[in-house]
Amino acid sequence: MNRVFHPQGIIALFFLTLTLLISGCGQSDEPQELYLEGKTMGTTYHIKVFAKQDKLDALNLQPEITQLLKDINQSMSTYIPDSEINTFNRLAAEQVMPISNDFRAVVSESIRLGESTKTLDVTMGPLIDLWGFGPDKKPTKRPTDAELSAMIAQIGVDKLILTEQGLAKTIDGLELSFSATAKGYGIDKVAELLESHDLSNYMVEIGGELRVAGKKPHDQDWRIAIEQPDTEPGVRKVHRVLAPGNNGIATSGDYRIFYEMEGVTYSHLIDPATGMPSRHDLVSVTVLHPSAMTADGLATALTVMGMDKAKAYAEKYDLPVYLIGKSDDGLVTYSSPAFKPYL
């Protein structure tokens, strides 16, 4: 039996088939989102990756990321008794300890930042404990000037000796804490892992610090919010949104971790030169840097400096920095020249 098709029906069928083919091609080429999350370093991590579905299907990233972060934590956590950092902290003076590449990278950058800023000191864990911001309970009274002077004499990155053979300390009792740099380093290592798999569009976040690269679908830039620092406890609001490009992003401030004692408010950010918690007009610092570890360390260091010194440091080294300070008239803000293109 002969079948007769009307020409218009053939044309309609052709365009329907063509539309389906184009639609199918579009779907296969459109980047898809892979979302991963977990726990690490006493906090959480969240990762977003955009890539073609066939590439994502061919990878099994979660186990790799889990092992990578586990190794870093084993190296740098002071809460793990046999960690690399605790092994060094128990070491006697003048003894050289061979160290892993990860440990070397973090201690090297921590020493550099400490010498440059004078306000970041990875050896002042005992001083932080003395003020009650470490794992021990907070003190019921302010440390005496004599206690602070004695503690200051026992800290300082100048008491670390880093050589090709390893790391040593010049005095007994010197201890390391990478609370200002380890999270950022973990972010950088995860980013390196993603890039080793030719993944170039991603966001990696650990404990509030981030690193982003590439784009989201439809050529959209990544957008990151800076938090409003003067909200009520338990309330979080957006202060400003930025497009950070391919950078690590770290924000530090004294508005979340503090306590009051004898009528005085004490911040968890301590000046290693004086041994005193920072008490000035600077409440939030956001830093952009290709390395999340460097951004993390700088954000802490600049917050301790205060508004004027932080502005001067940012301009001297051409750093993208955004500062929020407080005044009698409310909040004041500052964008360094290098930061303005990201707003």
Side-chain angles (χ1 to χ4, degrees), residues 161-305:
I161 303 174
L162 181 63
T163 64
E164 291 184 1
Q165 289 70 40
L167 185 66
K169 63 185 78 170
T170 60
I171 62 171
D172 287 327
L174 191 74
E175 297 182 357
L176 291 173
S177 173
F178 294 144
S179 58
T181 46
K183 283 192 303 180
Y185 183 73
I187 292 169
D188 288 336
K189 291 296 288 186
V190 171
E192 289 177 13
L193 174 63
L194 297 177
E195 291 173 2
S196 74
H197 290 295
D198 295 322
L199 298 169
S200 56
N201 303 299
Y202 58 79
M203 182 277 293
V204 181
E205 178 265 340
I206 299 179
E209 317 300 351
L210 305 99
R211 178 167 156 175
V212 299
K215 299 274 189 176
K216 296 193 293 184
H218 310 297
D219 202 37
Q220 295 184 71
D221 291 328
W222 292 97
R223 297 282 179 177
I224 305 298
I226 298 174
E227 186 178 347
Q228 183 77 6
D230 61 349
T231 57
E232 295 295 324
V235 177
R236 295 197 164 184
K237 294 182 180 179
V238 172
H239 169 78
R240 196 156 191 177
V241 176
L242 60 141
N246 296 341
N247 276 306
I249 311 104
T251 297
S252 178
D254 66 357
Y255 57 95
R256 292 294 176 199
I257 306 176
F258 59 88
Y259 64 82
E260 291 187 5
M261 184 172 61
E262 299 175 353
V264 180
T265 299
Y266 294 95
S267 163
H268 74 295
L269 296 169
I270 298 175
D271 186 342
T274 65
M276 293 293 295
S278 59
R279 295 181 63 197
H280 45 63
D281 55 354
L282 186 54
V283 294
S284 176
V285 174
T286 298
V287 179
L288 303 181
H289 194 278
S291 163
M293 171 176 59
T294 301
D296 200 4
L298 283 172
T300 299
L302 295 181
T303 304
V304 175
M305 287 183 190

Side-chain angles (χ1 to χ4, degrees), residues 110-122 124 155-158 270-275 297-298 300-302 304-305 309 313 316-317:
S110 297
I111 291 172
R112 187 189 73 82
L113 290 175
E115 292 174 342
S116 173
T117 66
K118 309 302 183 186
T119 50
L120 180 75
D121 191 336
V122 292
M124 67 177 186
I155 65 173
V157 293
D158 60 316
I270 298 175
D271 186 342
T274 65
L298 283 172
T300 299
L302 295 181
V304 175
M305 287 183 190
K309 290 182 179 179
Y313 187 91
K316 178 180 179 179
Y317 293 100

